[in-house]
Amino acid sequence: MRISVIGCGYLGVVHAAALTELGHDVVGIDVDARKIQLLSAAHPPFFEPGLPEVLTSAMASGRLRFSTDIADAHGSQVHFLAVGTPQLAGSYAADLTYVNAAIDALLPQLSEGDLVVGKSTVPVGTAGRLAGLIEASGSGARLAWNPEFLREGFAVKDTLAPDRLVYGVGRVAVPGGRVARSERIETSSPGLDTAARSAPGLLDQHAVDILNEVYAKAVASGTPVVVTDYATAELVKVAANAFLATKISFINAMAEIAEVTGADVTQLADAIGYDTRIGRRFLNAGVGFGGGCLPKDIRAFAARADELGRGESVAFLKEVDAINLRRRQRVVDLVLEALNEEPHLKKVAVLGLAFKPNSDDVRDSPALDVAVQLHGRGATVVATDPEAIANASRLHPQLTFVADHIEALTDADVVVLVTEWAAYRELDPAALRARVRNPVIVDARNCLDATAWRAAGWTYLGLGRP
Ligand code: UDX
């Protein structure tokens, strides 16, 4: 199939390369000329394991190209919207500027039978509104919403072999207006755009067929497909991220209780995680979640629920956010305590800047936040990260960065491990003991062997651990 992907960020680039790998003919479009120049030379503009290989092979196939010109979307049968929906400045709501601009630019390029497919995470009701715009344009194109669940660090794998596919599709009128009862759409949701509650009809099978063709390989291998309406598809994405964020904040709340009772949250997580109804994944207590998705998605969800008059239904997400942010403060406080509240002229080595390992992404990164706060308190912060220094130094040039973690921790008064890169998890406490001025380590990801570090003469401070 001929496919366009509008927006070449973490999501769009991986999606475009993966679609080419699946046999399609793809054009990736972005307004950022520098990004397009890099991509056209098969250079990913960000770090993602496995992406350089897929991108190189996709470019070599001659079926993937990149462009700044939206007119290059013309002639594609499917148009994926993969632009960002960041947090709006001065508000918790999502900023839809890029989604709106992409649709405005795309409308004149659409032809009869085309399918526009939203992948961006949007407030519920957006797809219905966009479907109305597409319908009003008279192009004969249609819209589907197909949320993306990829994790940075595993993006290529998650895109080629997803856990599930969700197709949110529109309703098509039934001749004679007769609609099966189970297919009737809710028409009284408050606050939703009228297009989202369009006339009753059957789910758009044309859109389902096209998406099944796009994802033919995953569908054939038995990947579960959920075919639903726009609102459900939009909500699936934010509900999934809200659940994950809640799970992390739950265990971090337990860490807070563990800290005043002498309990060990890592053992507690193991013990409750053996219950298969709970599960051990996403129960790692530490400095909390960050990144370009979880924090802004739970805020945007709460803001949208407020608009819909259902703020109380997800009011707990504000608590989830607050617990998460308190953990960053806890790490800063542990470091300051270790420095006897006298951070001036003391060297703090910060190991990690990315919001998680195997990524160079520092958006809402707890690690970078901790480094900035400690610098603000007067400590001499020397930060390091295997991949994220360039992004971090662009945002916070006031910090000192070094590429080598051994250099970062040499003569340190406190070492803080804030992103659990493999290279940091495997540090040898005995060998490092003589390098630092004071052997104090704050393990903000609870990823080190406390016993081994203590045995090597270190003061080990974890989160929610005695
Ligand atoms: C997330 C969702 O997992 C993905 O499905 C969605 O499409 C986008 O948002 P991502 O942002 O790549 O993906 O990161 P994820 O692996 O979910 O981690 C998010 C944050 O939670 C990281 O900062 C990570 O360090 C933190 N985390 C994760 C914990 O603090 N504890 C855990 O147990 C797990």
Side-chain angles (χ1 to χ4, degrees), residues 33-97:
R34 192 193 71 94
K35 217 183 255 180
I36 293 302
Q37 199 181 4
L38 283 169
L39 287 165
S40 299
H43 293 307
F46 51 85
F47 174 79
E48 178 63 44
L51 180 59
E53 294 80 359
V54 187
L55 195 57
T56 303
S57 96
M59 296 295 283
S61 74
R63 286 183 286 101
L64 176 61
R65 66 202 166 92
F66 292 95
S67 168
T68 52
D69 188 358
I70 191 72
D72 285 327
H74 187 78
S76 290
Q77 186 184 359
V78 184
H79 308 269
F80 282 99
L81 291 181
V83 293
T85 51
Q87 190 175 329
L88 201 60
S91 155
Y92 274 3
D95 180 354
L96 294 178
T97 309

Side-chain angles (χ1 to χ4, degrees), residues 254-263 327 330 334 462-465:
M254 296 305 106
E256 292 186 332
I257 302 297
E259 277 156 16
V260 292
T261 54
R327 293 284 79 191
R330 169 72 181 163
L334 278 176
L463 269 75
R465 306 176 85 178

Side-chain angles (χ1 to χ4, degrees), residues 121 148-154 158 164 237 240-241 244 248 251-252 280-294 297 324 355-357 364 366 420 445:
T121 304
E148 181 56 59
F149 304 101
L150 67 78
R151 298 158 299 166
E152 288 179 30
F154 302 92
D158 286 352
R164 77 291 209 189
K237 176 60 194 268
N241 278 352
L244 294 171
I248 299 168
I251 201 64
N252 281 330
R280 181 63 177 82
R281 295 177 74 189
F282 272 68
L283 278 186
N284 293 322
V287 69
F289 59 81
C293 294
L294 261 45
D297 285 355
N324 192 52
F355 82 105
K356 69 173 189 181
D364 213 335
E420 70 277 34
R445 291 290 184 178

